[in-house]
Amino acid sequence: MRRFLSQRPIWLALLLSMGIGSMVARTVWTMRQDEWAFAERNNANLVKALEQSLGWTLSAMDQSLQDVAIKLEHPEVMQLQQEVRNTVLFDRPLRAAGIMDVYVINSQGEIVIDSGAMPPRKANYADRDYFQALMRGEKEGLVIGQPVLGKVTQTWMLPVARAYRGENGRVAGVVVSSIRLSYFNELFKSLDLGPGSGVNLFLGSGTIVSRYPYGDDHVGKSLAGTANMLRFLSERSGSFVGVAALDDMERFYTFRHVGPYPLVVNVAQSTDVILADWRKSALQLSFFALVLMAGCVGLAVLFTRELGRRQQVASQLQQAEHYLRTILDNLPSTISYWDQEQRNRFVNQTSREFFGSPPEALQGKTAAEVLGADGYAMVQPYVLQALQGRPQVFERTITTASGDVRHVHITYTPDREGNDGPVRGMFAQMTDITERKRMEEELFSEKERMRLTLQSIGDAVLCTDAQGRVTYINPVAQRMTGWQAFDAADQDVDVVAPLYHNNGERVEPSPVRQALGSGKPCGPTRGVVLHRKDGHRYVVEETASPITDRHGHLNGAVMVLHDVTETMALAERMARLAQYDALTDLPNRVLLQDRARQALALARREGKSLAVMYIDLDGFKQVNDRLGHDLGDELLVQFARRMQAAVRQSDTVCRQGGDEFVVLLPGLDGPEQSTVVARKVLAVCQAPFDLQGHEVRVGLSAGLALFPQHGSAFEELARHADTAMYAAKRSGRMQVRCYAGAAQEPELLAQASDSTSELA
């Protein structure tokens, strides 16, 4: 209590500092909430204004296109002269910024009427998504297509179309206009949202229409399935904090759907920009608060230190005066004398620490008065025994006057008159053994921690004596060796944990024997195999170290086995992935080049020839576009399997990338064999491919270069084979050509039948 009272200024300063810190923290938090609320309101207003502007533009376009479509459904309109017809159809021209000319497209996708040119400009739009959807009847009303690069204007635009019907009531064509994507950027650039922020416009399918101010690099890219896009499409409007899929930047998104149209506009403001001013203000407030808090605590500490120094000086003066009384006051133990009535006659200065009173205050008091009722009750049996002439030695725990808990060793020695005289009193010696007790507890705790550590460690640990007999194994070692701790005790370590090399030979001498013999650590060694009792095997990394006492005498050894079975298997899998294509499991270009170097060296040594063939699939892109990338990948896998079956085991089929393949044909006796191989390669594509119920036919074009006629290095042969392959493509495909020189057309080695070529 006295120590607590002496440190009251520090406690008061700490409380004051905590109060200042709490107030500043609350203020900073309130400022942050206000900043965020302002950004949320401001962005919501911006998005609403943008949504209304875009909705008005689309509504005006829809009305104009609908007016043209209705007029086209009257046969007499199409019979008018060109100038009159254009005047009738486009009597309500759109004057909004960014809106382009209106085209009337017939059922074949050709422009038949052009609001901006007479005669109409030439272009075909049959491949546009909106044209196909309207002509097939998949969509009705106003259709917004994917952003495209205009065929006539060569500018990025967003097409908006409606169908018009003929006399039979069927769809006869499409009326389409477009909005320049630059219009959106001009609309959005008036907003200053700060660095890393912008305005985005998406289609309902997740396709990017405009990202200002990021340019047109991502126009047409789909973000469908991303977390932010799922949130945009699940609600009509709202705000949230998300991380952009394109640049991994955290932003505050506020979005709205544009009227009834499949468009979503959002304002994406960087959270760093929103909180920039708040962070600056918060940093300043926090700095000043910390300075103020540190000042309060510092002044209190200085005041308390000065007060403590004065008290220490006074105590030292008082102790110096009493130390002169007796030499016993210098002893570290508390020495006291008690008479037969258990009254104190003497106590040295150490009584201050335990009893909180100077020796003068204790003299004449009974033991019960000094120790208190509870304290005296604990020592009374020992006191009575000592006053009867029997020495007493015991230990107990006491609480000092300052509140510290101390362990003490107490000795009561009777004071007799002569050897057999009556007892006049007793000497009491009380020694503080708190530190020794603490060390004993720490040693026990350390031993317990070591035991629990070995029990919970993920590696197998085996301890032996100096003769190599097992003294301890942890649970992991029991699992890996198949031995229980009580069965493994006193067993030879080589019996409990037998280690073998990968070739099946026994590790001799074992790591533990090496450590015991040399007195030095052994290992770590990876790739050693541990055989368990039931025959199961683990690939381990083993280390062994000798155990010595503080005098350097060898007491035993400890071996640690780390299970690396999965690590080694993973390393093998990674090594294969480095040399093989992940999709087709064919050798990749790295492995191909290595095999090519070996094949060229062998060809030079044996005087033989080899060939390098480049193959490109014809029609693969159409399959990919029509059936999707998954079935396109399945086509590549099936083609790879057919190619491996068509060539020799000594040949190497490599996937170059995409739908390009390379074949290395070593050990050829002459150019004649290349013709046979060319026919086999062409036969690979004669049968159709079954892609999950879709029967698909594709062709191939191949080029071939021979060693040594067409080059002495693999890179040179590959370049010439690639040249011959492109010559095969130009000549009609489904053929194999052989390189014939830089100035000559590659020679035709093999060609498929006419029906097969046409199919390809």
Side-chain angles (χ1 to χ4, degrees), residues 1 3-18 297 300-301 304:
M1 180 60 67
R3 180 177 300 176
F4 175 80
L5 293 176
S6 65
Q7 295 179 349
R8 278 183 300 177
I10 296 179
W11 296 116
L12 291 174
L14 288 175
L15 290 174
L16 179 60
S17 299
M18 291 175 63
V297 176
V301 169
T304 304

Side-chain angles (χ1 to χ4, degrees), residues 183-412:
Y183 161 73
F184 298 118
N185 292 335
E186 293 171 0
L187 178 64
F188 299 156
K189 71 180 182 181
S190 61
L191 306 178
D192 184 9
L193 301 175
S197 306
V199 183
N200 305 311
L201 183 64
F202 301 99
L203 286 176
S205 61
T207 301
I208 297 174
V209 176
S210 175
R211 293 186 75 239
Y212 181 82
Y214 309 107
D216 296 334
D217 293 343
H218 296 102
V219 171
K221 184 174 182 179
S222 176
L223 298 181
T226 62
N228 290 350
M229 187 55 62
L230 292 175
R231 184 71 180 269
F232 292 152
L233 301 180
S234 64
E235 302 174 14
R236 294 294 300 175
S237 63
S239 301
F240 65 93
V241 176
V243 177
L246 294 177
D247 55 11
D248 293 330
M249 179 179 288
E250 184 183 72
R251 295 183 175 91
F252 178 62
Y253 293 94
T254 302
F255 67 94
R256 289 180 69 90
H257 285 243
V258 179
Y261 306 107
L263 288 173
V264 181
V265 62
N266 75 64
V267 172
Q269 190 171 16
S270 170
T271 54
D272 291 335
V273 172
I274 295 175
L275 300 177
D277 294 338
W278 170 79
R279 288 194 178 101
K280 183 177 180 180
S281 300
L283 184 62
Q284 293 175 349
L285 283 175
S286 301
F287 174 76
F288 289 124
L290 288 175
V291 170
L292 184 59
M293 294 165 64
C296 292
V297 176
L299 290 174
V301 169
L302 291 176
F303 178 78
T304 304
R305 183 180 297 174
E306 183 64 23
L307 181 62
R309 287 176 180 174
R310 294 192 179 189
Q311 292 176 347
Q312 185 177 5
V313 169
S315 176
Q316 288 176 349
L317 291 175
Q318 185 178 7
Q319 288 179 1
E321 179 182 353
H322 289 283
Y323 283 161
L324 296 177
R325 294 175 53 198
T326 177
I327 193 63
L328 294 177
D329 288 343
N330 296 312
L331 295 176
S333 302
T334 300
I335 307 297
S336 59
Y337 181 83
W338 307 82
D339 60 16
Q340 272 287 348
E341 286 74 33
Q342 302 182 23
R343 292 186 179 275
N344 179 263
R345 297 302 179 185
F346 167 81
V347 64
N348 64 353
Q349 291 293 334
T350 57
S351 62
R352 291 179 178 273
E353 180 179 356
F354 292 97
F355 306 117
S357 301
E360 296 80 4
L362 299 179
Q363 291 181 5
K365 292 185 176 180
T366 63
E369 293 173 343
V370 173
L371 300 177
D374 295 336
Y376 178 73
M378 295 181 64
V379 302
Q380 183 180 17
Y382 302 101
V383 171
L384 296 178
Q385 292 290 330
L387 292 177
Q388 292 176 9
R390 290 185 286 274
Q392 302 293 310
V393 178
F394 61 97
E395 294 178 3
R396 62 168 294 205
T397 300
I398 66 172
T399 301
T400 65
S402 62
D404 296 331
V405 177
R406 298 286 183 176
H407 297 280
V408 293
H409 179 274
I410 302 175
T411 301
Y412 291 162

Side-chain angles (χ1 to χ4, degrees), residues 509-636:
S510 67
V512 171
R513 296 296 178 186
Q514 294 182 44
L516 291 174
S518 64
K520 297 180 180 179
C522 174
T525 303
R526 175 171 284 194
V528 180
V529 180
L530 170 67
H531 288 198
R532 199 166 66 178
K533 285 178 68 176
D534 60 1
H536 188 79
R537 300 183 180 184
Y538 293 93
V539 181
V540 298
E541 181 183 74
E542 54 82 11
T543 56
S545 301
I547 301 174
T548 58
D549 59 17
R550 60 180 180 175
H551 303 294
H553 297 152
L554 184 66
N555 289 337
V558 59
M559 179 171 65
V560 179
L561 302 176
H562 177 61
D563 186 3
V564 295
T565 305
E566 295 184 2
T567 303
M568 297 293 286
L570 178 60
E572 293 177 1
R573 290 196 298 272
M574 294 300 293
R576 179 171 180 83
L577 288 175
Q579 294 185 330
Y580 287 84
D581 179 51
L583 176 63
T584 62
D585 201 33
L586 293 178
N588 59 16
R589 188 169 181 83
V590 175
L591 183 55
L592 174 66
Q593 290 178 339
D594 182 68
R595 291 185 179 179
R597 285 194 294 270
Q598 298 178 15
L600 286 170
L602 183 62
R604 293 189 185 98
R605 185 167 59 251
E606 296 181 355
K608 290 192 174 184
S609 178
L610 65 80
V612 175
M613 179 182 292
Y614 264 54
I615 301 172
D616 184 83
L617 292 181
D618 299 325
F620 173 77
K621 183 178 184 302
Q622 289 79 357
V623 174
N624 228 13
D625 294 341
R626 183 164 55 90
L627 300 180
H629 293 285
D630 290 341
L631 294 185
D633 291 345
E634 177 62 21
L635 173 59
L636 293 176

